[in-house]
Amino acid sequence: PEKKVLIQSSSPMKGRDSSSLLEKIEGIMGQENLSISDVSRWTVGTGPGNYTGLRIVAALVSGIAFKKEGVLCRGIPSAHAILSDMIVSDNEAAAAIYPFDGGKIFSYGASRIKGNIAGVSEMSGVFPADEFIERFPGIKYAVIGRDIGSIPVRMAETAHVISEFPVQNLLFTSPESWEAGTVRDLIYIRPAVNVEPMQLRTEI
């Protein structure tokens, strides 16, 4: 309730590193004399991002919360954490952008409505960079630092660069969205296939 961060840690994971995720969490919490059973609310970022990584974390937290009395969990679009510092007033909008093939970008647009960040469908999806700039003139957009070299130069020059994922923003967003049972919807970019969210790939 005081929005105080007790523990914060960042651990890049590649390949099979994800198999040690639970062990890493337990180790970090143990340093503060806490355990998994002390946590009553779990938040998972649901993307955009790598589908396998998102799915692993969502499955892990869903398993931890499964049929546990008083333990709640939720999935929050990761882009909401990125954009919450950029969208400070109601009805203001911004977008988080990610690299896509062929000079295109994937955009997740959001606006602040009654204090909470909410997705904006017309600003979300795959766009040629020039089309995005023309359709949404003056819109602010953010990119994660590791992606800055992979987005079109015209956008990279004016993008707000996020050097470290603001996990605290994810924790403190949408305070009424907790539920029992499982982590739901994933909003993802799957780099190996480049499929838009909620769309089926039909070409071979």
Side-chain angles (χ1 to χ4, degrees):
E2 297 82 16
K3 296 186 177 181
K4 179 181 178 182
V5 177
L6 300 179
I7 307 169
Q8 183 168 316
S9 178
S10 177
S11 181
M13 308 188 86
K14 296 181 179 179
R16 298 183 183 275
D17 290 350
S18 56
S19 63
S20 63
L21 179 58
L22 182 58
E23 182 181 348
K24 286 179 181 293
I25 295 172
E26 289 176 326
I28 292 163
M29 296 186 69
Q31 295 172 14
E32 299 293 328
N33 295 316
L34 296 169
S35 72
I36 295 291
S37 60
D38 292 319
V39 179
S40 59
R41 296 184 179 185
W42 292 86
T43 297
V44 170
T46 55
N50 178 276
Y51 182 54
T52 300
L54 298 172
R55 183 176 55 185
I56 286 169
V57 176
L60 174 63
V61 169
S62 294
I64 290 171
F66 184 68
K67 289 192 174 181
K68 296 286 197 312
E69 288 289 333
V71 177
L72 303 177
C73 62
R74 63 183 184 167
I76 300 290
S78 311
H80 288 198
I82 293 172
L83 296 173
S84 62
D85 289 333
M86 295 179 65
I87 308 173
V88 294
S89 58
D90 270 6
N91 302 317
E92 186 180 2
I97 61 172
Y98 305 82
F100 205 80
D101 286 347
K104 297 180 179 180
I105 54 98
F106 177 87
S107 167
Y108 183 97
S111 178
R112 190 175 290 278
I113 300 173
K114 295 182 179 178
N116 289 324
I117 301 293
V120 177
S121 59
E122 59 266 26
M123 290 177 57
S124 301
V126 176
F127 299 90
D130 289 342
E131 178 187 327
F132 181 87
I133 293 170
E134 290 171 11
R135 284 183 62 179
F136 309 108
I139 199 74
K140 295 184 292 186
Y141 46 88
V143 62
I144 297 174
R146 67 170 183 266
D147 293 333
I148 193 69
S150 302
I151 64 171
V153 174
R154 185 178 175 190
M155 299 193 79
E157 290 173 346
T158 55
H160 177 71
V161 181
I162 305 295
S163 58
E164 185 174 318
F165 184 78
V167 66
Q168 67 280 1
N169 292 349
L170 195 67
L171 293 175
F172 301 136
T173 192
S174 301
E176 305 303 323
S177 61
W178 301 97
E179 58 185 273
T182 187
V183 175
R184 303 188 188 277
D185 307 335
L186 294 181
I187 302 166
Y188 64 90
I189 304 171
R190 191 173 182 180
V193 183
N194 289 331
V195 177
E196 295 182 48
M198 308 307 294
Q199 301 295 318
L200 297 177
R201 184 181 177 93
T202 55
E203 71 273 17
I204 296 176

